[in-house]
Amino acid sequence: MKESIQKFIAKPKTIFLIDAVGALLTFAILFFVLRTFNSLFGLSKTTFKYLSLLALFFSFYSFACFFLAKNNWKLYLKIICTANILYCILTFGILIYNYKSISIFGLVYFIGEIAVISGLVLLEIKAIKSKS
């Protein structure tokens, strides 16, 4: 496991690709699945729409960084790392705000999403702190 993390840190641009694909997957799940079945998850269609559009924006940003960032990649990685942290805080805030209406399915999905993004954030932080 530690070797896998070191490989990502050695090629930090790959982290942008992982982030981009993950954000695109999040967009698709939120917009096409959860928004369609919003009553099953206990949140409004509008909430799913805004969260999905935010994920789509993050995906575009990360894809652009993957293809375009050359020398100053740490700055761009700091930006998406901060954005991911803020997204997790926003998501957690939505869970708290909607605690009466959110279903167990919504709770499980969003806690899982926060856990996955938090893991990615830790990887991003390690890459930022690396000397390469």
Side-chain angles (χ1 to χ4, degrees):
M1 176 91 170
K2 199 169 192 176
E3 291 176 10
S4 298
I5 292 172
Q6 292 301 326
K7 287 180 185 179
F8 285 118
I9 293 171
K11 293 184 178 183
K13 285 188 69 173
T14 307
I15 297 172
F16 287 117
L17 186 60
I18 293 167
D19 198 299
V21 171
L24 192 59
L25 180 62
T26 296
F27 163 76
I29 291 169
L30 289 170
F31 193 81
F32 296 112
V33 179
L34 274 61
R35 190 174 70 98
T36 303
F37 302 103
N38 70 305
S39 60
L40 194 67
F41 293 91
L43 293 176
S44 70
K45 286 185 177 192
T46 304
T47 300
F48 286 123
K49 181 176 82 172
Y50 287 128
L51 285 174
S52 66
L53 292 176
L54 194 56
L56 185 61
F57 175 77
F58 289 179
S59 180
F60 285 145
Y61 176 84
S62 293
F63 272 124
C65 290
F66 175 75
F67 289 111
L68 302 174
K70 300 285 185 226
N71 299 327
N72 203 6
W73 60 267
K74 283 189 179 188
L75 172 65
Y76 301 113
L77 194 58
K78 285 178 185 177
I79 292 169
I80 196 62
C81 183
T82 303
N84 283 334
I85 292 168
L86 292 173
Y87 182 87
C88 287
I89 292 169
L90 173 66
T91 302
F92 190 71
I94 289 170
L95 291 178
I96 291 171
Y97 183 77
N98 294 289
Y99 77 95
K100 288 184 180 179
S101 66
I102 195 158
S103 71
I104 189 70
F105 300 115
L107 196 61
V108 168
Y109 172 79
F110 284 113
I111 289 174
E113 184 178 69
I114 289 170
V116 169
I117 294 171
S118 296
L120 181 61
V121 164
L122 291 175
L123 184 64
E124 291 167 345
I125 290 170
K126 285 185 183 203
I128 291 165
K129 288 182 176 180
S130 73
K131 295 181 182 180
S132 59

